[in-house]
Amino acid sequence: MNLSDTRAIAQAVGINPATGDVLGECPHTPAQAIPEIFKKAREAQAVWARKSFKQRAKHLRLMREYIIENADDLAKTVATSNGKTWFDAMATEVLPCTLACNWYGKNAARVLKSEKREMSSILWIGKRSEVVHEPLGVVGIISPWNYPLSIPFGEIVMGLMAGNAIVLKVAAVTPMVGVAIERIVEAGQLPEGLFHHVVGAGAEVSSAFFENGVDKLFFTGSVPAGKDLMAQAAKTLTPLSLELGGKDPMIVLEDADLERAANGAAWAGYQNSGQSCGGVERIYVHESVYDRFVDLLAARTRSLRQGVPNAECTVDVGAMTTAKQRRVVEKQVDEAVAQGAKIVAQAQLADNLQGEFYPATLMTHVHHDMVLMREETFGPVLPVMPFKTEEEAVRLANDCTMALSASIWSRNTNRAKALASKVRGGVVAINDHLYTHGMSDLPWGGPGESGIGRTHGPEGLKEMTKPKAINWDYLRARNNLWWYPQDREAYVVIKHALRLGSPRNVFEFLWASLKVMPTMIKRMYFQK
């Protein structure tokens, strides 16, 4: 393991990708400190788990108040660390954090309350069951750089309300957001040791998590990194929740409101410089409205102001976060152009830019033999294809290994819902896109290479727990029908019981019951 030691402590350096300015440094967590971090987390979690949901929610309210009072500073930290605009930082990062505090604080008790289960067969007469949702213990969170505040903070809130301790590792390129999260959590006045922020390289920190017995790991990031984590987790059977890539399709039907569709495509495709796993990555438009849609989206693309983000919000699109990702985008676009694709429109970049900028770009004449249409671009590029029939649109939308989210655009909601049922995805929105990630009440995640498990909503809360069934018998019988001795009489009764599960009519149910109940009662209460 290459986590830093006490002799030479490495630093995580925050750099503004739009300007190259150094924002600050965070020392890497010493390798020898990790076991003690987990020890303290387990001790604190044992205390925290005994608190009521109401008591836990009080701490969330303190965090929420801190976020509101320091919203401008938080937006600035996110914008300068990630390259997105201050407006994006406030709307898609700061605001969702307050919404998460609200929803999970109010609804965790309802979602995670114990559940009574009804008797499923007459064979279980006298049995009663309850399912409880116990905390996992110590939850590890490894978060990405594209939403460095809202993604990890939402998972922190879910984990805390479910009764867990949290060990967080934020992306290496956005360390100052990790520091900001520390301050938010500190304002929550949690028990000492319940939350820890670990700084270091991703692979080394994840190895340390597994080595120290993390009870579940929540990871948001790339498909290859998710697969590597699965291989590591298999050695200890550590459960994972993985939110990975997206190549999200947008289908525009001939009856869509084209102005709304073009405006929605521009926002969901170019927002955060296209670095949203749930953003629009490819667009399919009915051939009868294709030209009109392209014209509208081209005009919207050219009108975008792209430059260094600032507090006055005078730009619409900022910088990409890393040079590596910018080069991925450049390569996909260049290869597509070489294969016949055309760049229809681009945003005008401001003069004298020094950072990791790529212009918002609209492309046509694309097809599914291009990497641009099959692999995640994760940049401000919107390729558009025409289609003839709904069946063709669905086939194209589903022609991908990833299925995080999608959208259908039509004035006919019932028609759009019917089509949504055929499109693969964890979320399919109608006449909108991407925003559902900010809705705390809805699950987030998708099938295929988009990951495993869900975050957000009741489903996300339950991912932070382990279900336990508690079963008891209030009749206090001496024996059960299936206990020893095994004999022909019991065998025949079990055979008759086969009909009790799915009787063809009430008479068959009564007949089977008469065959089963006398012997069952005799063996339960009178057989020694």
Side-chain angles (χ1 to χ4, degrees):
M1 183 191 303
N2 292 322
L3 287 172
S4 61
D5 58 33
T6 54
R7 291 169 296 174
I9 296 181
Q11 303 282 331
V13 181
I15 296 175
N16 185 336
T19 63
D21 295 339
V22 175
L23 304 173
E25 297 179 344
C26 300
H28 280 203
T29 304
Q32 62 270 29
I34 303 296
E36 183 65 18
I37 284 173
F38 272 80
K39 177 177 179 292
K40 289 181 177 179
R42 295 196 185 284
E43 291 171 351
Q45 190 273 330
V47 175
W48 180 251
R50 293 194 292 270
K51 290 183 177 290
S52 68
F53 291 109
K54 186 176 181 179
Q55 289 172 318
R56 296 173 197 164
K58 289 181 180 179
H59 297 273
L60 264 62
R61 287 196 291 272
L62 293 173
M63 294 184 208
R64 177 180 176 273
E65 192 60 31
Y66 177 90
I67 293 169
I68 293 171
E69 293 295 327
N70 296 274
D72 289 329
D73 287 341
L74 290 170
K76 177 183 178 181
T77 298
V78 171
T80 54
S81 295
N82 161 275
K84 66 179 63 177
T85 66
W86 289 48
F87 184 95
D88 270 355
M90 184 66 74
T92 69
E93 301 250 34
V94 180
L95 175 60
C97 288
T98 63
L99 297 177
C101 290
N102 288 343
W103 196 86
Y104 296 112
K106 293 177 181 177
N107 290 281
R110 173 183 58 81
V111 173
L112 299 180
K113 69 179 180 181
S114 60
E115 308 168 41
K116 295 290 193 299
R117 296 289 174 90
E118 297 298 322
M119 180 179 67
S120 59
S121 169
I122 197 171
L123 289 171
W124 315 132
I125 190 169
K127 300 292 186 183
R128 293 292 180 268
S129 300
E130 182 179 24
V131 176
V132 297
H133 300 281
E134 295 185 337
L136 293 165
V138 178
V139 168
I141 297 172
I142 299 179
S143 62
W145 45 256
N146 60 326
Y147 288 88
L149 176 62
S150 61
I151 286 179
F153 187 75
E155 293 174 352
I156 290 167
V157 169
M158 284 183 276
L160 291 175
M161 284 306 300
N164 298 296
I166 306 294
V167 182
L168 168 70
K169 181 247 179 299
V170 303
V173 298
T174 56
M176 304 316 295
V177 180
V179 174
I181 292 173
E182 287 183 33
R183 293 173 182 150
I184 296 172
V185 175
E186 183 180 4
Q189 300 178 17
L190 298 174
E192 185 178 355
L194 191 67
F195 171 84
H196 298 269
H197 173 213
V198 173
V199 181
E204 292 148 10
V205 172
S206 65
S207 295
F209 281 5
F210 290 126
E211 289 166 8
N212 286 277
V214 69
D215 292 293
K216 188 170 184 177
L217 181 61
F218 287 75
F219 172 78
T220 304
S222 70
V223 174
K227 291 180 178 180
D228 288 343
L229 287 174
M230 284 192 72
Q232 280 187 281
K235 299 174 183 177
T236 52
L237 292 181
T238 302
L240 296 173
S241 175
L242 304 175
E243 199 267 85
L244 307 176
K247 188 67 181 174
D248 302 348
M250 171 178 175
I251 298 175
V252 183
L253 301 179
E254 74 277 7
D255 65 344
D257 180 336
L258 295 184
E259 293 235 1
R260 177 176 176 83
N263 288 336
W267 182 79
Y270 300 142
Q271 181 269 339
N272 196 24
S273 288
Q275 300 169 127
S276 299
C277 50
V280 174
E281 285 250 341
R282 49 200 171 108
I283 305 175
Y284 306 100
V285 184
H286 191 271
E287 60 181 3
S288 66
V289 296
Y290 175 80
D291 290 338
R292 175 62 178 155
F293 176 85
V294 170
D295 287 345
L296 288 169
L297 185 51
R300 173 57 67 193
T301 301
R302 294 187 189 101
S303 72
L304 293 174
R305 303 165 298 173
Q306 194 163 358
V308 177
N310 56 69
E312 289 72 34
C313 299
T314 59
V315 298
D316 301 306
V317 182
M320 299 192 67
T321 307
T322 70
K324 178 181 178 182
Q325 190 58 38
R326 177 180 52 77
R327 288 192 290 268
V328 169
V329 175
E330 290 173 346
K331 182 180 179 182
Q332 286 194 15
V333 171
D334 290 346
E335 288 179 353
V337 169
Q339 293 176 282
K342 294 184 178 180
I343 295 176
V344 176
Q346 289 184 310
Q348 186 66 41
L349 294 177
D351 295 331
N352 302 317
L353 294 177
Q354 303 297 316
E356 304 300 338
F357 288 90
Y358 192 88
T361 300
L362 174 63
M363 303 186 71
T364 60
H365 294 75
V366 294
H367 52 75
H368 273 226
D369 291 334
M370 296 175 177
V371 171
L372 180 71
M373 295 299 287
R374 303 190 62 84
E375 295 183 9
E376 191 171 36
T377 303
F378 221 59
V381 179
L382 287 177
V384 188
M385 277 184 68
F387 68 85
K388 294 180 181 296
T389 65
E390 288 187 6
E391 291 72 22
E392 182 187 9
V394 170
R395 177 179 61 78
L396 291 168
N398 290 342
D399 183 24
C400 186
T401 60
M402 294 167 278
L404 185 57
S405 74
S407 60
I408 315 292
W409 300 73
S410 169
R411 285 187 170 92
N412 187 329
T413 301
N414 288 334
R415 180 188 181 193
K417 288 172 68 176
L419 198 61
S421 68
K422 302 175 184 178
V423 174
R424 292 177 67 231
V427 177
V428 181
I430 295 172
N431 295 325
D432 216 325
H433 201 111
L434 181 61
Y435 72 102
T436 58
H437 187 270
M439 299 176 70
S440 300
D441 56 313
L442 289 183
W444 183 258
E449 290 193 336
S450 285
I452 296 172
R454 295 293 185 271
T455 58
H456 299 194
E459 295 79 5
L461 273 171
K462 289 182 179 179
E463 289 266 2
M464 291 284 181
T465 67
K466 49 191 176 187
K468 175 187 285 184
I470 301 173
N471 180 267
W472 66 95
D473 192 334
Y474 75 91
L475 292 180
R476 302 181 185 277
R478 180 181 296 171
N479 295 292
N480 281 328
L481 172 64
W482 48 90
W483 286 2
Y484 296 124
Q486 296 179 355
D487 54 30
R488 183 65 186 177
E489 180 185 47
Y491 177 87
V492 172
V493 169
I494 294 294
K495 183 178 178 181
H496 285 306
L498 299 176
R499 290 292 183 188
L500 291 176
S502 55
R504 288 169 290 190
N505 52 57
V506 67
F507 299 106
E508 185 173 75
F509 175 78
L510 292 173
W511 178 84
S513 297
L514 289 173
K515 292 291 185 179
V516 170
M517 292 307 295
T519 303
M520 185 174 174
I521 292 171
K522 181 183 75 173
R523 294 176 74 94
M524 287 174 64
Y525 289 99
F526 301 106
Q527 181 170 299
K528 295 185 179 179

